[in-house]
Amino acid sequence: MKAVFPYPTLLGDVRCEIVAVRVDGKPLPYTNVSKDERVVALHQSGRARWEEAVLDVSIRLPEDELDTGPWRNVTCVAVLAEKATNTRVTAPLRLGPDGARTGSIVLARPSHLRRATLSALVVATVDGIAGRLIGTCEEDWYVDLVEATPVRQRDIEIVQVDFADATHDWLRPYKESPWVVETSGEMPTVYLNTTAVEGLVELLSASGGSPAERIVREVTASQIAQDAWTAMFHSAVSDLDVDEDGTPVMPSGWRESVLRAMLPDVLPGRQLTDALYDINERRTQGFGWSELQTGIQFAAGRRAQIGKKLTLAVRTADRAERSSN
């Protein structure tokens, strides 16, 4: 979804490319950069400890449209940001002889945690007002600090840990919970408690088994998935950026995927733009937010296939009882 601005913006595409990466002055192997996935993987870059990565960026704008449009003093900047560390770095780009805007932006290792987003912003003077946003790149790049393979889409991370272990202070208050979902990072993580329910982690990790074991595994996995979808939805709508008119802008990454998947079920029959605006209004103003929880629960359960898994569990239990009789 693109935000609507009360002034002319670019209709043509803004294309962003990372043309080269250097880690502490040495070229990053080409296998760590995927132009198809638009991902740079910095883990196992050839240096166990590194201080900074320099990304050479090339941005192409719809020049014909710029030449005939009402924009003046057009400037293009690269933006490298990570919400987990509240880091945001910008670098101005220069117009080259081939028509592309080029430049370099530095990723400082101590300022980042997991995965940064590289985007491009085009600003200009419009109607006498300077610094107005007139365009952004169609698809951002991701710079991953913990992955060795440049893959864009990643599943939810599953981490097995003893919540009562003294080395995990923040999990200790939840030591009686079999799992918790954490969504503050660049990728959501499900932490499975290895000591809350004896044998549960081993059961979830196994395959096959008796009918009763399969029932428990399927139903528990669905419940974890429902909790994860619910937590991810709340996280996605709790930190929405807004434009200068207060219109919420669709986030990027997994948050965008979650909202696009769940909003049609949370607010059926609404366009994504209207649904996102309604969600933000209810959350920030307070009215109608509690009534919305039923829709969120339904959407999360549908994504987790709770009904299907429970139906299968009941039928399996019924067949087991009939065979024993």
Side-chain angles (χ1 to χ4, degrees):
M1 182 192 77
K2 288 187 176 181
V4 178
F5 297 92
Y7 54 83
T9 58
L10 290 172
L11 177 63
D13 292 341
V14 177
R15 297 184 175 87
C16 175
E17 296 292 339
I18 294 178
V19 296
V21 181
R22 298 180 300 280
V23 178
D24 287 346
K26 296 185 177 181
L28 185 71
Y30 72 92
T31 54
N32 288 50
V33 181
S34 173
K35 290 188 177 182
D36 293 333
E37 295 284 332
R38 307 181 74 78
V39 175
V40 176
L42 292 177
H43 187 55
Q44 294 183 3
S45 61
R47 298 178 65 85
R49 296 182 180 180
W50 53 275
E51 294 298 325
E52 69 174 26
V54 178
L55 312 173
D56 293 339
V57 182
S58 175
I59 311 295
R60 289 197 173 273
L61 308 182
E63 297 295 341
D64 292 342
E65 186 180 358
L66 281 174
D67 293 339
T68 58
W71 308 285
R72 300 292 179 267
N73 305 318
V74 176
T75 302
C76 186
V77 297
V79 181
L80 189 68
E82 184 176 5
K83 284 190 176 182
T85 57
N86 199 30
T87 299
R88 182 182 175 88
V89 180
T90 62
L93 305 178
R94 303 175 301 276
L95 179 61
D98 63 347
R101 264 87 171 167
T102 61
S104 299
I105 193 166
V106 176
L107 183 149
R109 181 65 182 91
S111 300
H112 294 272
L113 181 64
R114 298 185 56 83
R115 183 176 259 209
T117 302
L118 177 70
S119 58
L121 303 180
V122 186
V123 297
T125 298
V126 187
D127 298 332
I129 301 177
R132 281 186 155 177
L133 179 65
I134 64 170
T136 61
C137 60
E138 293 302 304
E139 191 172 7
D140 296 335
W141 279 72
Y142 291 112
V143 184
D144 203 312
L145 283 73
V146 297
E147 290 291 329
T149 304
V151 178
R152 190 175 189 86
Q153 298 294 336
R154 295 190 295 166
D155 295 332
I156 295 176
E157 295 188 36
I158 308 295
V159 178
Q160 299 180 13
V161 62
D162 182 1
F163 287 14
D165 191 335
T167 59
H168 303 283
D169 291 341
W170 75 276
L171 286 172
R172 203 177 307 148
Y174 314 112
K175 62 183 180 181
E176 296 182 2
S177 299
W179 62 80
V180 296
V181 182
E182 197 272 329
T183 59
S184 63
E186 286 302 305
M187 286 299 294
T189 302
V190 174
Y191 289 91
L192 295 179
N193 192 351
T194 58
T195 56
V197 179
E198 185 177 356
L200 178 61
V201 172
E202 292 76 12
L203 179 64
L204 290 173
S205 303
S207 59
S210 66
E213 290 174 335
R214 290 197 296 271
I215 289 174
V216 174
R217 181 164 55 247
E218 291 292 329
V219 172
T220 304
S222 292
Q223 184 59 61
I224 294 174
Q226 184 179 36
D227 289 351
W229 278 103
T230 303
M232 289 188 295
F233 183 87
H234 281 284
S235 177
V237 300
S238 68
D239 191 24
L240 290 174
D241 292 328
V242 296
D243 62 21
E244 59 184 23
D245 292 331
T247 302
V249 179
M250 183 70 77
S252 60
W254 64 262
R255 292 174 175 84
E256 178 182 5
S257 300
V258 168
L259 292 180
R260 288 187 179 278
M262 293 184 63
L263 279 176
D265 289 328
V266 177
L267 291 171
R270 306 286 295 277
Q271 294 291 329
L272 279 175
T273 305
D274 296 335
L276 193 64
Y277 185 88
D278 193 354
I279 288 284
N280 193 58
E281 281 286 292
R282 295 192 190 205
R283 188 187 64 81
T284 56
Q285 302 300 325
F287 64 88
W289 180 245
S290 59
E291 292 84 348
L292 205 63
Q293 302 311 303
T294 302
I296 297 174
Q297 183 182 20
F298 166 73
R302 189 173 185 182
R303 302 276 84 71
Q305 298 183 324
I306 286 288
K308 178 180 178 181
K309 297 299 177 61
L310 283 176
T311 299
L312 181 61
V314 170
R315 289 176 178 174
T316 302
D318 183 63
R319 285 197 299 268
E321 183 178 358
R322 291 175 181 273
S323 61
S324 64
N325 294 331

